[in-house]
Amino acid sequence: MSFTEKQEGLVKESWEVLKQDIPHLSLRFFSLILEIAPSAKNMFSFLRESEEIPQNNPKLKAHAVKVFKMTCKSAIQLREKGEVVVADTTLKYLGTTHVKSGVKYPHFEVHFCFNLKKLN
């Protein structure tokens, strides 16, 4: 799978915006997921039993940054190499964690009707 020129341009443009404030934007991204699909809170072990506002949860903040950085690195690899190289142990861990949390394919299809400007 490779990007078209237009897709590559969008990835580059998005990354330039995202890398300026990964902590804020990544947390905002996960906050929007929880606004759109409140039941998703139960899929995060560190949110499941918490009454704390998700945006104030330090574990969510750390998770959000980690996911954003990994996603951005993957996008760069895909653009530069035409493939994403991730260690098998990382993929197995991610798969196991998502299966244990009850994540199903439709959960990845949460569509957002906003652009990067609305993340701010």
Side-chain angles (χ1 to χ4, degrees):
M1 179 178 147
S2 62
F3 282 163
T4 65
E5 260 185 65
K6 182 177 180 177
Q7 290 170 321
E8 183 177 334
L10 290 171
V11 169
K12 285 179 181 178
E13 183 182 322
S14 297
W15 175 240
E16 290 304 315
V17 172
L18 295 173
K19 74 180 184 182
Q20 292 175 25
D21 195 1
I22 289 175
H24 170 76
L25 294 174
S26 59
L27 183 60
R28 183 72 183 122
F29 174 80
F30 277 92
S31 297
L32 287 169
I33 288 174
L34 295 170
E35 283 177 26
I36 293 167
S39 62
K41 179 181 175 187
N42 294 323
M43 295 181 167
F44 296 91
S45 61
F46 49 83
L47 294 178
R48 200 173 293 134
E49 303 297 322
S50 175
E51 294 301 320
E52 184 175 32
I53 297 170
Q55 293 86 336
N56 295 336
N57 187 304
K59 290 183 180 180
L60 178 61
K61 289 178 183 181
H63 177 76
V65 168
K66 185 177 177 180
V67 168
F68 248 52
K69 285 184 177 180
M70 187 172 78
T71 302
C72 291
K73 286 179 185 177
S74 296
I76 290 168
Q77 283 184 9
L78 186 59
R79 178 180 54 83
E80 292 177 351
K81 300 176 184 176
E83 66 180 349
V84 177
V85 180
V86 181
D88 282 347
T89 53
T90 302
L91 288 176
K92 287 177 184 174
Y93 171 77
L94 287 172
T96 301
T97 301
H98 283 84
V99 167
K100 284 181 182 176
S101 297
V103 177
K104 306 273 189 245
Y105 183 77
H107 294 123
F108 290 103
E109 295 181 348
V110 175
H111 296 286
F112 297 95
C113 299
F114 59 86
N115 57 39
L116 288 175
K117 291 179 183 174
K118 291 184 182 175
L119 282 175
N120 287 318

